[in-house]
Amino acid sequence: MRYRRELLPLLLCCVAVGTELRAFCHAPFSSFVERHFFISFSFEYIDLEVVLYFHHEEARAIRRAIDLDGDGRLSPHEFERCRERMEFWSENLFAWFGEIPIEWVHLHPALIDTHGVNGVNSSLVEARLYLFAPMPNDCDSGLLRLEDRLFSDANALITWEIETRDGVDALMKTPGNEVVDSTFVLASPRLQGASREIEISFIGKSNCLGGDGT
Amino acid sequence: MNGMTIFLKRRRRAILWTVGLFFFVTLEAQSIERSTVEEAANLASAILQRHPNMMDENARIHLDRLNRSLREALAFERRSQSDEDRRDALSQTPGLLEDLRATLDAAMPQTRFLIDETQAVLQTDARVELPGDQGAILLRIDAQGEGTRFISLEMDSETYPEHRRVGVEIASTGTTWALLEIERAPKAQMTLMLDLTRPDAPSVPALLTVATPEPARLLLTALCDENDEPTPAMIRLTWKTNGRDRMPSNAVAIEPLMDRQGQPRSRRDARLPGDWGGPYWCIPESFDMEIPPGEWEIIIRRGVEHIPIRETFTVDSGQLVEKVYRIERWVDMPRRGWYSGDEHVHARMASDADAAILMAWARAEDIHVSNVVLMGDVHRTWFQQRGWGPEFRVQMNNHALSPGQEDPRTHQELGHTIHMNTTGMIRDVDRYFLYDWTFERARSQGGLSGFCHVLFNMFEVHRGMALFVPFEFVDFIEIMQFNQMGTDLYYQFLNLGFPLTVAAGSDVPWGGTVGEVRMYAHLGDAPFNVDAWFEAVRAGRVFVTNGPMLDLRVNDAMPGDTLTLEPNAPVLISASALGHPERFLPTALEIVANGEVIHRIENENRDAELRVEMEWDADYGAWIAIRAFGDDGSQAHTTPVYATRPGFRFWKIDEAEQLIERRMASLNDIVEMAARYRVDLENDPTNLTKRLFVAQAPELLERVEMAQHYYAELKERVDRERELRASD
């Protein structure tokens, strides 16, 4: 009982800081979160690797959020807690196959890299998410719409890159209606809650969603 | 006896089995902890991501499926609202975990211990061999009783404390699979001291000998195509055994020059068209390093004018392998009078040592002029330079580093400016938003100024351009960066009749590598000279590219030239785009006038060069440029030739009013921002950007007024010119 009473404030503190890290995607920034989306289509799955680079103020803000005990140093335990919280970041990556919403699943553990400098006031933090979703009903043709609401309050430089396997072809339609088959870079100002969208049409062995892939 | 009874009797045994299995699975599911499933999936991820060589391809595909199934169960469990749903989510996992156990048993070499209260008895060979200095060992530790645990541990043997044991937390009972990942294993062999620990039991020590094969030795030299002399080059060396890249032993240490900004690594993730993007290191001519035996892939590049080399080779343990690569050109642009530059290179150049590093990088990418820029904001500067002007340039044959600055630079106000060939740092935070103050000083120093990130219309650069382009302060506009070209905003200003030179800059360390996009300036028959290069940029004799090489003549005029039109005399446009079968082929060449494609040819015959010659009536004036596209996604664009008629402006008169409105809207943004920041400051008086903006607002708004007046006059000119054209 005695321990429980002593632990309560600590637990509340952890919950509060954890919630902050989870809600961090909505914090305001003065500058940039650079992001790379590598999207890979195969007959069965769509894999999405997200690489985020936090620069300047964003890097310091995220370091402060990781520093649960506020001692100014980021410990292995704090990194572990951060990785757990990062699992929720995928909730800000929306996607639809045609009209069917996709729920992303983590393919591998999230990574966070502070480039060997573990003070809270340093710059650059790199984070990686590895996600996947099964193709609905083994459907490998149709239209995929992706909406990035990660850190939508921050300016963004976004690289979208698509890759295909198992004979699936894909074309990406950019916000400017340009059609590209490999890489597209987009600079986007802070959106204050709005999103960054891209459409990818993919053509595989079947066409069960009815899209014509154009 | 009805049919149902007969069916039940006949299938009694099957039904009993099914019901039994159901209860077994249900009970098992209740006992499965989320953490066990997570640990199992993480072990699978570690093998798939970092040690794929431990399994054959079929087993890897199976493990990938297992991992996905485990992850889906975990995701479903996390999203579940009730305990029942959570149990349901994990109900499939006992079968998956059994499959994982079987897969590990069947498909992976393992080191097996049998453990009791006091000792761990090795059941397999005491000596485990790694494929090289990186690798992993799968430990299987069997204790009495039921239970399973999956764990993965990382160990860097170079930094692991002497005499410290590797702690392996195993299951209290049953079997533990532990993947021990080892980095930088020493040569020959090492003895690992394991500490097998269990809850509520004393730890049990175990010894394991880990051997590594004798490494091979790779001696590699890159040769310059012109003279067969060793040259710096960009290299990627991949050990196919685990798919991981390996830093060359003497890779140029670029990282310290990066001020911890952007992606401050010596490994540069080049943003290049086609298959050539990805990580590279810069090497200074040659290296000699030990590598683990096995299959390797090497890629060697030297900028866009050369054909990259990709080769796979195998080395045996203890073998000495010498490789000499001559990196051939597919085009020699200096011979054609064109020299490349990158106007946006952030790096500290505060010493000879810094300059030597940067020079190696510039030579490795074969970029002739690097505008090495200090970067600033209202608070401070980064990427310090030891000085500006010719005396602080560094030149080695036809490659030069010239200090410049990216400052002033505001993110949410007026955009980023860049300056080259200046003779001193130009910076006064009390005039920070009065960009014309900087532009004027840059010009008086003999420098050139421009706006960067225009391709993305980033950092509200449309406002800065609307405000300062009319007053002829702006020499160039950055339309290529990060493997992209963007011309929307650039064309809007050209279509209003403002002559502006194209520019390209990598923006390293945010960009990947120096010269990944580049601008070529025409020096003609003159030998390479840095001052001449800057003068060529001032004259607009420039095209930007990350692939196709362009040539444009309108009558005899080159890009950047102004051509005076004679009434009813069409101009002769000659254009070409060059590629190479071993690099890329141009897919299309377009002639663009006043923002419209007036002619396009496509490469139906897969030729290395596309050429077009055509007559075109430029009427009352037009800007005429060309752009081309490569089959690898590369792009290129020239500065226009400005074809003008006396008394007329070269503009897209039909769009002029609408474009003027857009400029006016950008100027209004500035006026509104001044009012908003004044209010904001009351709540946040420490915001330096807003404080400086508000302090400088009276002078800034004077400039806005001048610009508004300019655009209002321009609007009147639209009407006047329409009348003139009608009466002509």
Side-chain angles (χ1 to χ4, degrees):
Chain A
M1 193 64 189
R2 185 167 59 89
Y3 287 119
R4 211 178 290 169
R5 199 173 295 157
E6 282 171 1
L7 281 173
L8 190 61
L10 181 66
L11 277 172
L12 285 174
C13 180
C14 285
V15 168
V17 177
T19 309
E20 186 194 323
L21 191 60
R22 184 178 171 177
F24 188 72
C25 299
H26 305 289
F29 296 106
S30 61
S31 194
F32 265 94
V33 177
E34 188 183 339
R35 63 220 43 214
H36 294 219
F37 293 96
F38 300 98
I39 309 152
S40 172
F41 289 92
S42 69
F43 182 61
E44 288 171 286
Y45 303 106
I46 167 170
D47 290 351
L48 174 63
E49 184 181 341
V50 184
V51 188
L52 301 166
Y53 298 100
F54 300 85
H55 301 292
H56 303 295
E57 294 87 346
E58 299 85 341
R60 281 188 280 276
I62 200 161
R63 281 168 184 268
R64 281 195 293 276
I66 297 169
D67 183 23
L68 293 174
D69 61 9
D71 70 348
R73 305 293 307 165
L74 310 182
S75 67
H77 168 72
E78 287 167 335
F79 278 119
E80 195 49 47
R81 297 289 300 154
C82 174
R83 276 189 283 272
E84 286 168 22
R85 297 293 160 201
M86 283 169 66
E87 299 264 318
F88 294 98
W89 288 8
S90 58
E91 290 174 7
N92 288 291
L93 293 167
F94 296 87
W96 295 265
F97 282 116
E99 298 299 316
I100 307 166
I102 289 173
E103 288 190 288
W104 292 111
V105 178
H106 286 262
L107 178 60
H108 300 301
L111 294 179
I112 187 126
D113 183 358
T114 50
H115 290 249
V117 181
N118 291 335
V120 287
N121 290 319
S122 297
S123 118
L124 192 65
V125 173
E126 189 177 327
R128 279 172 195 263
L129 303 177
Y130 302 92
L131 309 169
F132 79 100
M135 291 285 195
N137 305 320
D138 289 333
C139 181
D140 65 352
S141 297
L143 191 70
L144 174 78
R145 191 154 54 89
L146 276 169
E147 194 177 314
D148 163 26
R149 292 195 185 190
L150 267 176
F151 303 96
S152 58
D153 292 344
N155 289 309
L157 182 71
I158 312 171
T159 302
W160 301 91
E161 193 170 337
I162 49 175
E163 176 191 272
T164 56
R165 287 175 286 162
D166 302 345
V168 178
D169 285 327
L171 285 173
M172 185 158 43
K173 192 164 90 182
T174 69
N177 281 335
E178 195 183 341
V179 176
V180 290
D181 63 0
S182 56
T183 308
F184 177 72
V185 182
L186 168 76
S188 168
R190 60 207 185 104
L191 297 168
Q192 289 156 338
S195 66
R196 288 124 176 163
E197 264 189 41
I198 203 144
E199 281 183 2
I200 301 166
S201 53
F202 52 100
I203 311 157
K205 294 169 191 163
S206 59
N207 195 353
C208 35
L209 286 181
D212 61 2
T214 55
Chain B
M1 198 179 283
N2 61 29
M4 177 58 83
T5 314
I6 296 166
F7 174 81
L8 288 174
K9 273 200 158 187
R10 284 185 183 166
R11 302 284 180 204
R12 192 168 52 190
R13 188 170 290 175
I15 291 165
L16 284 173
W17 270 107
T18 307
V19 171
L21 190 65
F22 172 77
F23 279 110
F24 172 76
V25 167
T26 308
L27 288 172
E28 179 76 3
Q30 282 174 343
S31 66
I32 286 288
E33 295 284 336
R34 180 184 169 84
S35 60
T36 305
V37 182
E38 252 172 357
E39 285 175 346
N42 288 346
L43 185 140
S45 282
I47 295 167
L48 291 166
Q49 284 190 297
R50 296 186 290 277
H51 308 284
N53 55 299
M54 294 181 82
M55 289 183 152
D56 66 29
E57 196 184 347
N58 287 337
R60 228 168 20 240
I61 291 168
H62 186 69
L63 186 67
D64 178 66
R65 283 177 196 280
L66 270 176
N67 179 44
R68 288 174 194 267
S69 300
L70 289 166
R71 301 281 177 187
E72 281 183 294
L74 287 166
F76 189 53
E77 193 263 357
R78 189 188 286 278
R79 288 173 195 142
S80 298
Q81 301 293 321
S82 67
D83 288 345
E84 195 185 341
D85 286 348
R86 271 189 282 277
R87 271 197 303 276
D88 273 356
L90 297 180
S91 65
Q92 303 294 320
T93 56
L96 296 171
L97 295 180
E98 184 50 48
D99 197 344
L100 177 61
R101 284 188 282 261
T103 305
L104 295 178
D105 257 343
M108 286 182 73
Q110 51 191 256
T111 302
R112 204 161 164 173
F113 289 98
L114 189 60
I115 187 171
D116 61 20
E117 292 300 312
T118 56
Q119 59 174 350
V121 181
L122 198 57
Q123 305 291 298
T124 48
D125 196 344
R127 192 170 180 275
V128 185
E129 184 133 337
L130 296 182
D133 56 0
Q134 294 169 329
I137 303 165
L138 182 67
L139 304 173
R140 177 180 162 158
I141 303 137
D142 291 313
Q144 280 189 335
E146 296 296 315
T148 309
R149 183 153 192 212
F150 301 93
I151 53 173
S152 42
L153 303 159
E154 290 174 39
M155 181 208 170
D156 184 338
S157 74
E158 213 162 82
T159 57
Y160 211 75
E162 203 178 351
H163 306 309
R164 189 168 140 192
R165 293 175 179 202
V166 181
V168 184
E169 291 176 13
I170 62 172
S172 309
T173 56
T175 303
T176 301
W177 274 269
L179 186 76
L180 179 58
E181 301 181 69
I182 299 174
E183 285 287 317
R184 295 190 282 190
K187 276 187 186 180
Q189 67 177 48
M190 67 173 169
T191 303
L192 279 181
M193 294 180 290
L194 305 176
D195 225 353
L196 309 178
T197 61
R198 284 174 290 183
D200 308 321
S203 68
V204 175
L207 291 179
L208 194 61
T209 302
V210 179
T212 53
E214 187 185 350
R217 191 173 148 206
L218 175 65
L219 275 66
L220 185 143
T221 303
L223 295 181
C224 180
D225 194 25
E226 284 83 15
N227 52 20
D228 277 345
E229 293 289 320
T231 178
M234 302 301 288
I235 280 196
R236 184 193 310 164
L237 195 57
T238 310
W239 190 26
K240 303 274 271 185
T241 300
N242 61 5
R244 288 164 69 181
D245 301 325
R246 189 160 288 232
M247 185 174 82
S249 53
N250 62 346
V252 175
I254 296 165
E255 183 175 342
L257 275 53
M258 301 293 177
D259 268 5
R260 302 203 63 77
Q261 299 299 307
Q263 291 167 40
R265 286 186 290 238
S266 298
R267 188 195 83 174
R268 303 308 308 167
D269 289 340
R271 300 172 192 248
L272 297 170
D275 296 335
W276 302 112
Y280 291 91
W281 282 269
C282 174
I283 56 153
E285 302 178 354
S286 60
F287 64 79
D288 175 350
M289 68 186 281
E290 289 187 329
I291 54 173
E295 195 180 17
W296 289 81
E297 183 186 79
I298 189 160
I299 301 177
I300 308 187
R301 290 192 307 103
R302 262 206 90 197
V304 71
E305 291 178 44
H306 295 78
I307 300 169
I309 297 167
R310 189 196 296 264
E311 191 191 65
T312 302
F313 58 93
T314 302
V315 292
D316 295 326
S317 190
Q319 188 186 0
L320 170 69
V321 180
E322 274 191 84
K323 293 271 177 192
V324 179
Y325 295 103
R326 186 162 181 264
I327 311 164
E328 291 179 11
R329 284 183 173 278
W330 64 269
V331 63
D332 191 344
M333 291 307 284
R335 273 183 191 275
R336 295 165 183 243
W338 292 92
Y339 288 85
S340 60
D342 181 336
E343 42 83 5
H344 204 150
V345 178
H346 290 295
R348 184 188 71 200
M349 193 164 65
S351 67
D352 288 347
D354 291 349
I357 290 168
L358 269 180
M359 181 57 81
W361 193 9
R363 289 177 64 213
E365 291 286 8
D366 189 32
I367 196 89
H368 293 283
V369 178
S370 300
N371 185 40
V372 183
V373 287
L374 164 139
M375 181 180 86
D377 67 10
V378 293
H379 296 95
R380 58 164 290 186
T381 59
W382 293 264
F383 309 110
Q384 303 308 313
Q385 307 297 311
R386 56 184 163 179
W388 281 264
E391 64 181 303
F392 291 100
R393 284 180 197 155
V394 178
Q395 189 166 346
M396 188 171 175
N397 301 323
N398 286 355
H399 297 95
L401 311 170
S402 174
Q405 67 178 65
E406 187 189 0
D407 195 40
R409 179 177 158 273
T410 61
H411 307 317
Q412 287 165 44
E413 290 81 18
L414 303 175
H416 293 188
T417 67
I418 205 155
H419 311 269
M420 42 188 172
N421 197 33
T422 48
T423 54
M425 184 161 96
I426 307 163
R427 179 178 162 85
D428 179 353
V429 289
D430 292 327
R431 294 187 176 98
Y432 204 73
F433 293 92
L434 313 177
Y435 285 11
D436 53 309
W437 183 86
T438 309
F439 289 141
E440 279 182 339
R441 266 141 200 84
R443 189 161 291 178
S444 68
Q445 291 180 6
L448 295 155
S449 297
F451 277 101
C452 43
H453 313 303
V454 176
L455 70 152
F456 299 121
N457 194 2
M458 214 169 175
F459 302 116
E460 315 293 354
V461 68
H462 62 98
R463 293 181 191 149
M465 286 177 68
L467 185 52
F468 297 112
V469 166
F471 305 111
E472 298 176 12
F473 290 124
V474 181
D475 298 298
F476 61 88
I477 295 293
E478 191 175 79
I479 65 161
M480 256 193 130
Q481 193 161 75
F482 305 151
N483 202 19
Q484 290 289 309
M485 185 167 81
T487 52
D488 284 357
L489 193 57
Y490 177 56
Y491 283 5
Q492 287 178 31
F493 280 83
L494 289 175
N495 282 343
L496 278 173
F498 297 115
L500 292 164
T501 295
V502 292
S506 60
D507 198 12
V508 291
W510 285 270
T513 185
V514 168
E516 60 191 6
V517 294
R518 54 184 65 196
M519 53 195 287
Y520 278 89
H522 190 251
L523 273 62
D525 296 331
F528 177 71
N529 175 293
V530 184
D531 289 312
W533 191 88
F534 286 121
E535 286 315 306
V537 175
R538 193 187 305 282
R541 297 194 162 190
V542 175
F543 72 88
V544 293
T545 187
N546 59 353
M549 298 298 166
L550 301 181
D551 194 36
L552 168 68
R553 297 286 189 284
V554 181
N555 294 347
D556 288 327
M558 289 191 70
D561 288 350
T562 299
L563 171 77
T564 305
L565 295 167
E566 299 294 331
N568 303 318
V571 292
L572 178 66
I573 303 169
S574 309
S576 71
L578 186 64
H580 189 276
E582 290 183 56
R583 191 71 169 79
F584 64 89
L585 291 174
T587 53
L589 171 63
E590 294 177 341
I591 300 174
V592 184
N594 288 353
E596 303 286 339
V597 176
I598 58 166
H599 190 73
R600 174 184 167 96
I601 52 167
E602 298 195 0
N603 197 352
E604 287 160 4
N605 301 323
R606 298 191 55 77
D607 294 324
E609 186 170 18
L610 288 177
R611 278 188 168 277
V612 63
E613 201 161 276
M614 65 176 281
E615 284 193 340
W616 186 68
D617 186 358
D619 208 4
Y620 293 95
W623 59 268
I624 303 163
I626 57 169
R627 62 190 187 199
F629 309 90
D631 59 7
D632 59 351
S634 55
Q635 301 176 82
H637 199 295
T638 65
T639 300
V641 171
Y642 309 105
T644 61
R645 278 266 300 273
F648 296 90
R649 194 174 171 89
F650 76 86
W651 59 357
K652 192 174 188 182
I653 198 162
D654 296 342
E655 279 184 12
E657 283 167 315
Q658 178 217 333
L659 293 173
I660 289 167
E661 288 307 315
R662 294 181 79 163
R663 305 291 79 81
M664 288 292 216
S666 298
L667 295 173
N668 282 342
D669 284 354
I670 302 172
V671 176
E672 284 169 14
M673 194 160 47
R676 195 172 65 247
Y677 279 13
R678 220 168 274 130
V679 176
D680 291 350
L681 267 186
E682 289 171 15
N683 299 324
D684 182 13
T686 59
N687 186 313
L688 182 62
T689 305
K690 291 181 179 176
R691 210 166 69 203
L692 290 172
F693 190 92
V694 169
Q696 293 160 36
E699 287 178 273
L700 186 66
L701 293 179
E702 277 176 24
R703 286 152 173 82
V704 170
E705 248 180 68
M706 286 166 66
Q708 286 168 330
H709 186 66
Y710 178 92
Y711 287 115
E713 282 192 347
L714 204 58
K715 206 168 180 179
E716 286 171 18
R717 189 167 172 175
V718 175
D719 296 331
R720 281 205 310 276
E721 260 199 34
R722 277 205 179 114
E723 284 169 23
L724 263 177
R725 288 181 183 206
S727 64
D728 187 35

